[in-house]
Amino acid sequence: MIKNLSKLSRLKITDDKDIESIIAYVGKLNSVNTDGVEPLSHVHGSKNIWREDIVSPSSSAEILEGAPDKSGTFVRTPLVIDG
Amino acid sequence: MDFEVVIGLEVHLQLATKSKIFCSSSASFGGEPNEYIDPVTFGLPGALPVLNYKVLEYGIKMGLALNCEINRFNRFARKHYFYPDLPKGYQISQFEEPLCERGRLDLFINGGWRSIGIKRIHMEEDAGKNIHDSRTGSSLIDLNRAGVGLLEIVSEPDIRSPEEAGFYLKAVRQIARYLEISDGNMEEGSLRCDANISLRPAGTLQFGTRTEIKNLNSFKNVEKALEYEIARQHKILKEGGKVVQETMTFDTSNLTTRPLRSKEESSDYRYFPDPDLPPLVLEESLIESIRQELPSLPNERLKTLTEGFGLSEYDALVLTAEKASVDFFQAVFDVCNNAKLASNWITSELFGRLNKEGKELKDSPITALALGQLISLITDEVISGKMAKSVFDEMYETGESPDKIVEKKGLRQLDNEDDLLKLITKILDANVDQLATYFGGKDRVFGFFVGEVMKETKGSANPKKVNELLKREIEKRR
Amino acid sequence: MVKKDISSRELTEKALKDIEKNSNLNAFITLCADDALKAANEADNLRAKGDTRPLLGVPIAVKDMILTKGVKTTAASKILSNYIPPYDATVVRKLKTAGAIIIGKTNMDEFAMGSSNEHSFFGPVKNPWDTKLVSGGSSGGSAVSVAARLTPFALGTDTGGSIRQPASLCGVVGIKPTYGRVSRYGVVAYASSLDQVGVFARSVEECALLTETISGKDEFDSTSVDITPVGEIKFGIKGLRIGIPKEYFTEALDPIVNSLVSEALNNLRSLGATLVPISLPHTDLALAAYYVIAPAEASSNLARYDGIRYGIREEAEDLFSLYANTREAGFGSEVKRRIIIGTYVLSSGYYDAYYKKAQQVRRLIQNDFLDVFKNSCDVIAAPVSPFPAWKLGEKVSDPLKMYLSDILTIPVNLAGLPGMSIPCGFTSDRLPVGFQLIGKPFDEKTLYQVGATYQKETNFHKELPPGVEDGF
């Protein structure tokens, strides 16, 4: 499990103990019955937020400036291997 | 043991909106690499998504066209994986609560109807593009396409042959084009398809192990890949082996499928509802107003042409292939009121000419109105069908109206009885021997007389009238 | 400045000097000296021409979690240590429109994950009341900037208490507005459903001024909401019902905190308010719910930090290593910890038991608040931090112990309500203690009303740390 978490998050895990104790702590959520309770994801019940289909110009050059490695206006990474 | 083929298709349709699904960068094709980017597209810290209403509208249109239930409550979810063309490290998609579910696509295949179930349709954002250069050991990323709105259309595993799969894809494309929500072009990438295929013993219900085929870039290749995969799986199963569940790619050079190098991790996408996007709670009135805007769909138009206008299946299929064609047909019919002639002139003459020049209907120098007028001239017997062909050519070259051309060139049919009678009498008098041959039983000679009349009138005599009068005068002389 | 006692230029120069003088507090990561002085000159010119905007020419510190165009924004992380944003956060645009001067970016816990400002790539922030003690976090730098009167205002962010808690530990006013009141566009995301930008100030009245300035629906933030402007602050709380939640006054509370907060409540009562005992029964589950939801959303929001499009990039032969090496080197241990926890609670097979469950408990917690607001009281008062500032290094190696310092602030974020921390006294070691007011959704008006009335009768907010003078 931990090894898979490492891969999924692209991070090494070094303090299993702390993580385990935190996960054990949050397990106390199971002490309460939540049958039929609707999960709360938007605290004020917001809905139906959208915008018109309009194009706005943007400064792509400024945004690209932050990229550590470029080739022309492409962003460059080590070779991606997939079949 | 007989095996049944079970195919399900996942289609990604790139939507023809002006801006992207969650930001207002342009959704255009082409453009310099990384030209159509902004903080949201680029996954900058602090960037937030805002839904483009047009994508929702297009999604509802497609859902209605595919007879789906539109989920009044639906929302976006984050799908997590790491890949350079996915700037945020997650794709905004829909998971447990998609826009549409439980639909149906009716296919007209080989003279009959087949129903393919639509499992779901959902909205999501496209990823960017990677160009792999093994020569330099690097990959180049272009995020122009990242964030363009997509509809993912998932069929039920109801498809039973590669041929059916081809029909299904063409039908989805056709509907998308009728709705004007996408070009649906596989070669350009505005329609992409992943195929799932498995075999099972005929008559059983349990699904066999399936493989997924990705990176298919044309309708033909979808069919070929499926054909190859069917044969491959068949061989394995016949020899008592087990099919391995894996993802394949189709090699276009030798027309075979082979496994994609396995992904870095098993795909645990860790879906959860996107907290940056409030859910959609769709009002009836919204859905109704979109439903009102729907054009008549291909199957409806097909039925109208075959059952309403009495056209042949073949002709109806040609005309309904594109909405532009069947709209053109309707416009021509509205002028001339003759479905058969309208159909013939469009499919043989006009399409023939346009195809030869690699042109599309929208580039046609002959408008529907003009063609309708031309056909009316025929049905009103102002000109003969034969003459109409040369008028057509003139119309194509000059774009002038048929009336103008007929007047200009004096092509009105000669159908003045007295004039024709005079001519016929002259010809019959001049060809007594032929007449005798005709009376001797050689019916073919009738054509000779017709020909002579046509020659004398430079083809402008009304053929019907000529026939009538010739017959009468010939009999008189019997 | 209006009275022409001092110019914006002078104020700004003084601020820059003071910040320099107090660099041992480590409250700032980046100073915008040139830009600030230029803006100050401009402000003075405009004022001379008759511009009367209240924040014109006022120096403000901005937490380094909030993007400032052209000015390094790091979120106190190594992974963004070289990042210069190409755009301003909406709140920054609003500050600029108001004529305020952004003097610098303040230190914080990395990616806002922390309660003591000891988890910063740029070193810990010190408490000006006793520099051996923590400032609180994650907006430690901003709290200190106001506490030490380096600036009269500072912007912070609050996801689980990151404004209110350091405000309490540093003796200043701090507000976390209602979720959705202030735009999150251009604010580095930690936990999207909990994050809010808020304000540190010397008084409730000043806090209200700046909060109103940065509030408002933003077309770039789908979670921002239309708000009605608060208008004039009303003074006087006769007849107002103040709910006192019993679950916030347990043995976990340091006796001095208990005593000082109780005094504050008595004070409010003598000013005419009615104190109503209430119960928020699911309070003891809030910490657990938070430490599922926040890490989950964080693990998602931090997936974009991969060294490909911005930030630092580590050497790598292949793509997997590029991600792994960059993130390994770029993130601190607390951030990594929360990402792992977040990945766990979202992973297949665990989602229902953890994330979904936590969101359900969140609903119960919000219902607790909405019920009492409907039936029993107009506003709630409670302690903010269970204890005053503690020693640097004391809790930093025990994450769970550290998490417990937010136990009184977290429920407010889970419920999306507005919360404001107000100074209410000092320990015998002259360390500040604050109490918090919790309001109905979008009812900042009542918070200002109670807070301003309280501050008319008390002077705790005017007390200064040793060696500090108030030049504003």
Side-chain angles (χ1 to χ4, degrees):
Chain A
M1 155 54 57
I2 298 279
K3 182 155 183 250
N4 198 34
L5 287 181
S6 224
K7 248 201 186 146
L8 286 178
S9 56
R10 301 290 194 266
L11 289 174
K12 281 202 204 72
I13 302 177
T14 43
D15 69 341
D16 298 18
K17 283 261 124 47
D18 280 330
I19 291 177
E20 274 167 24
S21 62
I22 294 166
I23 290 177
Y25 175 81
V26 301
K28 81 192 272 200
L29 289 173
N30 290 309
S31 66
V32 67
N33 185 324
T34 53
D35 290 343
V37 178
E38 194 57 39
L40 181 64
S41 14
H42 289 91
V43 280
H44 305 306
S46 295
K47 57 183 179 166
N48 296 343
I49 305 292
W50 52 61
R51 62 180 173 87
E52 293 298 311
D53 185 25
I54 298 172
V55 175
S56 278
S58 187
S59 42
S60 50
E62 284 181 339
I63 294 170
L64 274 175
E65 248 181 71
D69 191 17
K70 291 192 286 285
S71 171
T73 57
F74 283 102
V75 173
R76 186 164 51 189
T77 67
L79 186 62
V80 175
I81 318 263
D82 56 20
Chain B
M1 157 134 61
D2 243 357
F3 285 101
E4 179 180 57
V5 170
V6 176
I7 296 171
L9 295 178
E10 270 171 39
V11 168
H12 284 92
L13 203 61
Q14 205 173 330
L15 298 176
T17 55
K18 295 201 206 88
S19 61
K20 298 184 178 182
I21 183 175
F22 294 118
C23 64
S24 50
S25 276
S26 169
S28 307
F29 186 75
E32 288 301 299
N34 291 314
E35 181 181 345
Y36 305 133
I37 60 171
D38 67 292
V40 178
T41 299
F42 221 60
L44 294 188
L48 293 173
V50 183
L51 176 63
N52 178 349
Y53 174 76
K54 254 303 178 256
V55 173
L56 173 65
E57 184 190 301
Y58 285 2
I60 294 173
K61 280 190 167 156
M62 197 66 187
L64 293 172
L66 292 181
N67 303 294
C68 295
E69 289 168 28
I70 310 294
N71 283 333
R72 300 298 188 262
F73 179 91
N74 68 90
R75 62 178 157 185
F76 292 99
R78 296 186 183 179
K79 177 180 181 182
H80 301 85
Y81 60 94
F82 287 102
Y83 207 67
D85 65 6
L86 194 68
K88 297 186 294 299
Y90 61 85
Q91 176 195 32
I92 302 178
S93 177
Q94 295 188 293
F95 182 52
E96 286 178 331
E97 292 129 327
L99 180 63
C100 318
E101 287 181 290
R102 288 179 288 275
R104 187 189 79 250
L105 173 54
D106 295 318
L107 297 178
F108 190 66
I109 304 182
N110 301 327
W113 290 93
R114 273 271 292 146
S115 241
I116 308 293
I118 303 293
K119 187 168 184 162
R120 54 183 275 154
I121 303 176
H122 70 252
M123 301 175 278
E124 61 183 26
E125 57 178 350
D126 208 344
K129 277 213 178 91
N130 268 345
I131 302 174
H132 307 308
D133 189 350
S134 45
R135 207 176 24 103
T136 58
S138 56
S139 292
L140 302 177
I141 302 158
D142 173 13
L143 294 178
N144 281 348
R145 202 184 63 178
V148 171
L150 296 177
L151 287 181
E152 180 173 322
I153 304 165
V154 182
S155 81
E156 294 286 1
D158 291 345
I159 298 169
R160 293 284 171 269
S161 72
E163 189 197 23
E164 236 171 57
F167 273 97
Y168 174 88
L169 289 174
K170 292 190 185 114
V172 169
R173 174 180 189 272
Q174 186 184 36
I175 291 173
R177 292 172 68 87
Y178 263 63
L179 295 174
E180 294 177 270
I181 64 176
S182 169
D183 287 335
N185 228 308
M186 273 196 94
E187 284 78 4
E188 280 175 16
S190 52
L191 189 153
R192 290 165 235 161
C193 173
D194 295 334
N196 291 289
I197 175 163
S198 64
L199 302 182
R200 65 183 174 197
T204 61
L205 287 175
Q206 204 182 3
F207 290 119
T209 309
R210 63 166 182 201
T211 58
E212 183 186 15
I213 313 173
K214 294 177 104 73
N215 304 328
L216 299 162
N217 62 7
S218 71
F219 293 145
K220 242 199 164 56
N221 281 341
V222 171
E223 291 187 46
K224 283 195 161 28
L226 287 171
E227 277 162 13
Y228 180 84
E229 189 59 13
I230 290 170
R232 189 189 75 87
Q233 288 192 15
H234 195 252
K235 184 160 185 286
I236 293 173
L237 292 172
K238 249 182 98 182
E239 289 166 5
K242 275 192 154 61
V243 171
V244 175
Q245 175 169 358
E246 54 193 341
T247 304
M248 322 282 272
T249 185
F250 183 61
D251 189 328
T252 49
S253 53
N254 54 23
L255 304 182
T256 62
T257 61
R258 57 179 173 79
L260 264 179
R261 193 178 297 216
S262 61
K263 293 252 169 133
E264 297 288 358
E265 73 263 4
S266 55
S267 353
D268 184 354
Y269 295 120
R270 286 155 285 136
Y271 286 99
F272 75 100
D274 195 325
D276 289 330
L277 292 162
L280 299 171
V281 181
L282 303 175
E283 301 279 319
E284 284 312 308
S285 53
L286 177 76
I287 298 181
E288 258 328 289
S289 72
I290 294 176
R291 194 194 299 272
Q292 297 301 328
E293 282 172 14
L294 288 179
S296 288
L297 296 172
N299 289 344
E300 262 179 83
R301 303 299 290 263
L302 188 71
K303 283 205 172 89
T304 304
L305 260 49
T306 52
E307 292 166 23
F309 289 115
L311 294 182
S312 73
E313 252 168 41
Y314 180 81
D315 287 342
L317 284 171
V318 173
L319 287 172
T320 56
E322 297 280 344
K323 180 162 179 290
S325 319
V326 66
D327 284 346
F328 190 90
F329 163 81
Q330 184 65 50
V332 171
F333 177 84
D334 287 342
V335 174
C336 72
N337 241 283
N338 188 314
K340 194 76 186 113
L341 282 180
S343 169
N344 288 347
W345 277 92
I346 295 172
T347 57
S348 326
E349 301 299 328
L350 185 59
F351 282 175
R353 192 71 188 265
L354 289 170
N355 285 339
K356 230 191 345 211
E357 296 175 12
K359 288 210 175 93
E360 284 179 32
L361 186 54
K362 64 172 161 58
D363 305 318
S364 166
I366 299 177
T367 64
L369 174 66
L371 186 57
Q373 288 169 341
L374 177 66
I375 295 171
S376 296
L377 289 177
I378 300 171
T379 56
D380 290 344
E381 300 191 3
V382 175
I383 55 174
S384 67
K386 197 153 159 231
M387 187 56 64
K389 283 218 166 81
S390 42
V391 175
F392 179 90
D393 288 338
E394 184 79 11
M395 285 164 70
Y396 197 95
E397 296 299 324
T398 65
E400 282 184 337
S401 80
D403 285 308
K404 202 138 171 271
I405 294 170
V406 165
E407 283 313 312
K408 209 170 62 171
K409 300 215 157 159
L411 299 174
R412 286 187 150 268
Q413 279 189 133
L414 215 58
D415 60 352
N416 181 304
E417 278 215 19
D418 296 331
D419 292 338
L420 280 176
L421 212 48
K422 271 207 202 95
L423 186 58
I424 285 170
T425 308
K426 186 175 118 197
I427 286 170
L428 287 178
D429 289 343
N431 292 283
V432 186
D433 297 334
Q434 303 284 38
L435 198 54
T437 315
Y438 179 74
F439 286 144
K442 288 265 190 304
D443 291 336
R444 254 193 302 118
V445 182
F446 189 81
F448 166 75
F449 290 123
V450 175
E452 288 299 298
V453 174
M454 287 310 187
K455 212 161 62 185
E456 285 290 324
T457 63
K458 293 196 180 55
S460 69
N462 182 333
K464 223 167 77 199
K465 273 252 148 58
V466 167
N467 266 287
E468 246 179 70
L469 293 173
L470 255 181
K471 268 212 181 76
R472 208 180 67 191
E473 293 306 306
I474 286 173
E475 289 312 310
K476 268 199 200 144
R477 288 156 198 249
R478 200 185 274 275
Chain C
M1 285 191 284
V2 171
K3 294 210 209 85
K4 300 210 172 63
D5 289 341
I6 190 167
S7 69
S8 173
R9 168 104 199 175
E10 286 167 314
L11 267 186
T12 305
E13 280 173 347
K14 174 177 170 5
L16 290 168
K17 260 209 216 71
D18 285 344
I19 293 170
E20 200 48 57
K21 226 171 61 183
N22 286 279
S23 59
N24 65 312
L25 297 176
N26 203 19
F28 282 84
I29 294 175
T30 302
L31 284 182
C32 311
D34 292 339
D35 287 341
L37 290 169
K38 215 164 94 193
N41 289 336
E42 177 63 22
D44 286 328
N45 287 337
L46 290 173
R47 177 164 286 112
K49 294 202 187 111
D51 192 330
T52 54
R53 282 174 290 166
L55 291 171
L56 180 65
V58 175
I60 299 188
V62 173
K63 184 176 184 179
D64 212 15
M65 193 75 165
I66 301 171
L67 268 63
T68 40
K69 181 173 176 171
V71 176
K72 198 160 62 136
T73 300
T74 69
S77 176
K78 181 175 175 190
I79 216 168
L80 287 177
S81 50
N82 64 350
Y83 182 58
I84 301 190
Y87 76 105
D88 274 328
T90 296
V91 294
V92 170
R93 268 193 299 112
K94 286 183 184 247
L95 285 183
K96 288 180 178 173
T97 303
I101 298 182
I102 296 166
I103 203 140
K105 310 302 292 299
T106 56
N107 203 349
M108 47 177 281
D109 279 301
E110 187 184 355
F111 282 104
M113 300 184 203
S115 313
S116 64
N117 218 135
E118 292 174 285
H119 289 300
S120 164
F121 177 63
F122 299 96
V125 172
K126 315 265 177 62
N127 193 319
W129 296 88
D130 180 341
T131 56
K132 292 195 291 317
L133 307 183
V134 302
S135 59
S138 62
S139 311
S142 285
V144 166
S145 184
V146 176
R149 299 299 190 262
L150 306 176
T151 60
F153 292 104
L155 290 190
T157 66
D158 188 318
T159 304
S162 291
I163 286 178
R164 292 161 288 149
Q165 185 252 38
S168 168
L169 266 50
C170 291
V172 295
V173 175
I175 189 171
K176 179 203 84 67
T178 310
Y179 182 84
R181 188 183 194 86
V182 180
S183 169
R184 290 183 300 117
Y185 184 71
V187 180
V188 178
Y190 156 28
S192 316
S193 72
L194 300 162
D195 294 340
Q196 265 298 273
V197 174
V199 167
F200 291 95
R202 299 176 297 171
S203 69
V204 171
E205 283 179 76
E206 289 184 335
C207 184
L209 171 65
L210 185 53
T211 306
E212 282 298 287
T213 305
I214 60 171
S215 298
K217 186 168 165 74
D218 182 16
E219 58 171 333
F220 291 103
D221 177 356
S222 301
T223 60
S224 73
V225 174
D226 257 319
I227 48 121
T228 16
V230 155
E232 289 279 313
I233 294 182
K234 191 166 140 210
F235 287 88
I237 53 175
K238 255 216 166 78
L240 200 70
R241 297 167 305 161
I242 302 181
I244 313 298
K246 66 175 190 208
E247 290 85 1
Y248 286 54
F249 291 86
T250 63
E251 322 84 53
L253 218 53
D254 191 307
I256 185 68
V257 173
N258 199 335
S259 140
L260 288 173
V261 173
S262 302
E263 251 178 70
L265 298 180
N266 282 330
N267 202 318
L268 292 174
R269 187 188 350 191
S270 68
L271 288 168
T274 312
L275 301 185
V276 180
I278 58 168
S279 171
L280 300 168
H282 297 94
T283 301
D284 66 328
L285 293 171
L287 196 69
Y290 177 86
Y291 278 103
V292 168
I293 296 168
E297 295 182 4
S299 72
S300 176
N301 288 325
L302 270 61
R304 67 191 63 193
Y305 300 107
D306 52 24
I308 292 177
R309 288 148 290 117
Y310 47 84
I312 64 147
R313 182 195 282 204
E314 292 290 311
E315 284 300 311
E317 291 295 306
D318 58 79
L319 191 69
F320 186 94
S321 305
L322 176 61
Y323 283 109
N325 295 352
T326 297
R327 291 162 68 81
E328 192 52 45
F331 289 140
S333 57
E334 182 60 33
V335 168
K336 283 191 200 139
R337 193 163 20 241
R338 297 200 194 187
I339 293 176
I340 298 290
I341 294 169
T343 306
Y344 176 79
V345 301
L346 288 177
S347 55
S348 145
Y350 295 93
Y351 174 83
D352 282 349
Y354 288 99
Y355 189 79
K356 183 163 174 214
K357 184 83 183 181
Q359 294 282 58
Q360 288 174 307
V361 169
R362 184 176 184 175
R363 168 87 55 191
L364 295 177
I365 290 170
Q366 192 193 51
N367 285 345
D368 284 353
F369 282 102
L370 297 180
D371 283 344
V372 301
F373 282 134
K374 183 155 148 246
N375 301 319
S376 317
C377 60
D378 307 304
V379 71
I380 294 170
V384 185
S385 168
F387 23 72
W390 58 93
K391 276 208 171 57
L392 284 158
E394 189 184 311
K395 295 191 214 275
V396 82
S397 40
D398 187 343
L400 206 47
K401 196 159 175 209
M402 184 73 86
Y403 295 169
L404 288 166
S405 37
D406 290 329
I407 210 163
L408 303 171
T409 48
I410 271 173
V412 179
N413 299 81
L414 290 172
L417 304 172
M420 183 164 66
S421 178
I422 299 167
C424 66
F426 294 86
T427 68
S428 54
D429 295 321
R430 204 154 158 71
L431 298 178
V433 169
F435 76 106
Q436 68 173 324
L437 297 171
I438 303 167
K440 296 179 191 165
F442 302 101
D443 190 23
E444 278 76 353
K445 196 176 169 74
T446 303
L447 298 187
Y448 301 145
Q449 178 185 352
V450 178
T453 305
Y454 176 80
Q455 286 194 330
K456 254 212 155 100
E457 306 299 316
T458 59
N459 286 317
F460 303 118
H461 58 292
K462 294 189 181 153
E463 299 284 329
L464 298 173
V468 171
E469 274 170 30
D470 193 343
F472 298 105

